Amino acid sequence: MPWREALSPVRMERIALVAPLAARHEMLSEVARSSAVELDLPYEPGTGLEEIDRAADAAVVHGPVAGLVGWSPSQQLPGLQAALEPHGASAVALRRPRGVQPPTLLTGDEPRRKQVPVLSRLLVDTYTTVPYADLDPARIAGVAYVVMFGMMFGDAGQGALLVIAGLLLRFLPRLQRFRRTWLFITGAGLAAVFFGVLYGEFFGPTGVLPVLWLEPLEEPIPLLVAALVLGAVLLAGSYVLGTINRVREGGWAYALYARSGLAGALLFTAVGLLAWGLLAAQPVILVIAGVAALLALVLMFIGLFAESGGGATGGLQASVELVDSVVQLGSNLVSFTRLAAFGLTHAALMMVVWQATTALWAPDWRAVAAVVVFIIGNALTFALESLVAGIQALRLEYYELFSRVFQEEGRRFRPWNPDPDTDQDTAQTTGGAELSPAAPAERHLP
């Protein structure tokens, strides 16, 4: 699958369903079986044939022809047309109406697959429905999540337990209903193993692994700097996705003035240049950073002023929101230091467990107590820190990253798919009369 298709919702077509008046029930039955059309009808719960009757009554009739409008995925339209052809009906593509957002159907989320989405999909779906015009960052969000989780949960031994849990979900038949989560859990475990190897942590500072990068409790400042650098990279990625989405939503003019578009990205770049200039003691870089920041603030103010409606009140509102945007950018960047802070917390808890274990250890009955302390301490730390790291990584995704990627909320594609055979099967089972789809009134006779 091309990467552009993987990152974008499925292309939708505005369609008209047309059929001879006498064949509209047959047409609607085929549409229901296809699960390929979202009809412009108010939802009213009912049995399959009742919904088909309501849709048939709602059709626009012109002479001997009846028609309905709706949305359909482009790739499913040829199959739908082939299914309707024997009934003298057809699905005709129409021009998309202005100001109307098509429903969103994400790649791999076809209506016929009633599957539980993987957690990387849930990360985005819990936050919002991806607007039709936007990119779908689910795959990227999943990778970012496991990296942040691994940095906070850096222990090769406990990470290996997560990998084992993921593999059990993948291969044990009893856990089949959770199988789609296995890759996500395994990825989080591998990230924890990776950072644990870097930290030299294996069920704590046991000395089993050498320290390849740094010891969190001995070198907290480099770890904080690394967390800030990772946060800057993730924020840069969110600005890239946000700028692309603003262009797709409203064009380059809209993206130019948006806080989550080019103006915001330019301000973020200016902050990076400022840090570089200060660290390198280069006045030229500082000047460039100042010019870029000034230009970004002007563009953002123009965009905020236009959004507020103009005038003195609009100018005051835009000024307040501009200051808030600058403060928010700084706080969002600093917020990523929690990656190091919770990594330090995990290392400190495991240090306490290991020191308690070694203090109890002796070549007698106390060895049993030491082992018990080691196992219980690891179990408690595993449960607590996996929960904390999972929540904090989710918080960073939602507040620091997704808030820049999304500005609107989409509408999920809901195919119209009542079961056209439900009432007929029930009638045959209970001895009722077989109902004719061409005569709605007869369906209600005993």
Side-chain angles (χ1 to χ4, degrees):
M1 178 188 299
W3 67 269
R4 291 183 180 180
E5 293 183 13
L7 292 177
S8 298
V10 173
R11 180 177 176 81
M12 287 286 169
E13 295 287 351
R14 183 69 169 173
I15 64 168
L17 298 168
V18 292
L21 189 59
R24 53 183 171 171
H25 287 84
E26 288 84 351
M27 174 188 72
L28 288 169
S29 296
E30 291 292 347
V31 170
R33 292 188 185 97
S34 71
S35 293
V37 180
E38 179 184 292
L39 290 176
D40 288 359
L41 294 172
Y43 174 73
E44 294 183 23
T47 60
L49 291 178
E50 287 175 344
E51 290 193 41
I52 291 177
D53 284 345
R54 281 196 290 265
D57 293 339
V60 176
V61 178
H62 183 73
V65 178
L68 289 160
V69 294
W71 297 95
S72 177
S74 298
Q75 74 269 27
Q76 296 187 28
L77 192 54
L80 177 63
Q81 291 170 334
L84 295 178
E85 187 175 353
H87 305 287
S90 183
V92 182
L94 303 175
R95 179 176 295 180
R96 187 179 304 164
R98 289 186 177 181
V100 177
Q101 181 178 218
T104 298
L105 174 64
L106 299 170
T107 305
D109 195 23
E110 288 80 2
R112 291 184 182 180
R113 296 184 186 177
K114 296 182 179 179
Q115 300 171 325
V116 178
V118 295
L119 291 184
S120 58
R121 171 81 270 139
L122 285 175
L123 285 174
V124 177
D125 290 347
T126 304
Y127 185 82
T128 188
T129 298
V130 178
Y132 179 75
D134 287 7
L135 294 177
D136 174 24
R139 292 170 175 82
I140 301 172
V143 173
Y145 184 93
V146 299
V147 171
M148 291 189 291
F149 179 90
M151 191 170 189
M152 290 184 283
F153 196 75
D155 189 290
Q158 295 183 357
L161 294 179
L162 281 176
V163 173
I164 293 172
L167 294 177
L168 290 176
L169 291 175
R170 172 64 179 84
F171 293 107
L172 282 185
R174 291 184 180 180
L175 303 175
Q176 185 174 3
R177 59 177 175 172
F178 304 111
R179 181 168 294 177
R180 295 203 71 198
T181 65
W182 81 273
L183 186 59
F184 190 89
I185 294 174
T186 304
L190 289 174
V193 170
F194 174 77
F195 281 98
V197 171
L198 293 181
Y199 300 157
E201 294 273 332
F202 184 83
F203 294 113
T206 56
V208 174
L209 296 176
V211 178
L212 297 184
W213 177 33
L214 56 80
E215 236 182 307
L217 295 177
E218 297 296 329
E219 301 176 87
I221 301 302
L223 186 60
L224 286 169
V225 173
L228 286 173
V229 171
L230 176 59
V233 171
L234 293 176
L235 281 174
S238 70
Y239 274 115
V240 170
L241 291 176
T243 299
I244 294 173
N245 285 344
R246 301 300 86 77
V247 172
R248 291 163 66 110
E249 291 166 0
W252 285 101
Y254 175 55
L256 180 62
Y257 301 103
R259 286 182 288 181
S260 59
L262 288 171
L266 182 59
L267 181 61
F268 178 74
T269 303
V271 172
L273 290 173
L274 177 63
W276 182 18
L278 291 174
L279 291 174
Q282 294 290 334
V284 176
I285 299 177
L286 293 175
V287 171
I288 296 174
V291 172
L294 180 61
L295 178 60
L297 292 173
V298 169
L299 292 174
M300 289 173 63
F301 180 82
I302 293 174
L304 293 170
F305 185 74
E307 288 179 5
S308 65
T313 304
L316 179 61
Q317 178 180 332
S319 300
V320 173
E321 291 185 0
L322 185 66
V323 174
D324 178 69
S325 298
V326 176
V327 173
Q328 189 179 55
L329 176 58
S331 64
N332 290 160
L333 183 58
V334 173
S335 186
F336 281 93
T337 57
R338 71 186 62 225
L339 296 175
F342 286 102
L344 290 168
T345 302
H346 187 93
L349 288 174
M350 293 310 302
M351 173 66 78
V352 171
V353 172
W354 181 242
Q355 287 179 345
T357 302
T358 55
L360 286 173
W361 183 263
D364 52 30
W365 63 269
R366 286 175 293 178
V368 177
V371 172
V372 171
V373 168
F374 182 77
I375 294 174
I376 294 177
N378 269 274
L380 291 175
T381 303
F382 180 91
L384 176 63
E385 286 299 305
S386 59
L387 178 63
V388 170
I391 292 174
Q392 293 302 321
L394 187 65
R395 184 222 177 270
L396 289 170
E397 289 252 297
Y398 283 178
Y399 288 97
E400 274 64 44
L401 303 179
F402 284 0
S403 62
R404 289 169 171 79
V405 175
F406 300 112
Q407 293 293 297
E408 303 175 356
E409 185 170 359
R411 180 173 63 83
R412 187 173 295 280
F413 175 72
R414 299 186 182 278
W416 185 77
N417 56 358
D419 186 354
D421 302 319
T422 300
D423 287 4
Q424 182 175 342
D425 293 342
T426 304
Q428 291 174 343
T429 302
T430 58
E434 184 174 340
L435 303 179
S436 169
E442 296 177 2
R443 295 192 186 93
H444 306 290
L445 295 178

